[in-house]
Amino acid sequence: MTDTAFARTITDLDHIRLYKLLQRQGAADDTPLAELIDAAEVVTPQTVAPDVVTMLSRVRVADPAGGAERSLTLCYPPEADAARGFISVLSPLGTALLGLRVGETARWRGADGRETALILRAIEFQPEANGDYTE
């Protein structure tokens, strides 16, 4: 479950790539990620705000209860490695992060059914803000 109380923003390139990824997975219409990309505001990579989580962004997040901060990178499934902080966009956490702005809270349900949340504290790296409009 993602927090849909606010609009998400994604780039048109991320939109296309994620839609194709979902099609290859056979889940183009019935996943939280499909719902998110269908409802998102779509912008060009050149105009996406630097405080928005895009694909391959490295972010700093923290537990709302005051837990320690940690860095995560939102990635595609082949690069996912949770132990190293590479979180697949197809995971509940990855979907919850996509399109968030700094200061917003990612919310999702874990495998155990419990709601979990992380506050997006900072974007440490965003490809588009670095002038990379193709990754």
Side-chain angles (χ1 to χ4, degrees):
M1 174 176 117
T2 57
D3 189 353
T4 56
F6 45 84
R8 302 292 183 97
T9 301
I10 63 173
T11 68
D12 53 5
L13 185 58
D14 286 350
H15 186 273
I16 290 166
R17 287 180 175 168
L18 293 171
Y19 183 76
K20 287 181 179 180
L21 173 66
L22 289 171
Q23 282 185 314
R24 286 191 303 270
Q25 299 278 325
D29 296 324
D30 60 353
T31 65
L33 180 58
E35 292 173 16
L36 185 151
I37 66 174
D38 284 346
E41 175 188 5
V42 179
V43 299
T44 66
Q46 294 83 356
T47 60
V48 68
D51 68 339
V52 172
V53 179
T54 62
M55 290 305 299
L56 306 179
S57 291
R58 186 175 55 250
V59 301
R60 191 166 12 101
V61 296
D63 185 304
E69 294 186 356
R70 60 185 168 153
S71 293
L72 303 173
T73 299
L74 183 62
C75 66
Y76 293 98
E79 292 82 35
D81 182 348
R84 291 184 36 236
F86 288 84
I87 305 300
S88 170
V89 69
L90 294 181
S91 71
L93 171 55
T95 297
L97 287 171
L98 181 66
L100 283 185
R101 288 184 178 271
V102 172
E104 293 178 334
T105 302
R107 299 180 194 284
W108 71 98
R109 291 207 182 274
D112 60 2
R114 292 190 347 214
E115 184 175 282
T116 305
L118 289 173
I119 298 170
L120 180 60
R121 294 280 190 219
I123 306 279
E124 297 177 339
F125 172 82
Q126 182 205 65
E128 296 81 2
N130 240 26
D132 187 347
Y133 306 121
T134 61
E135 290 296 322

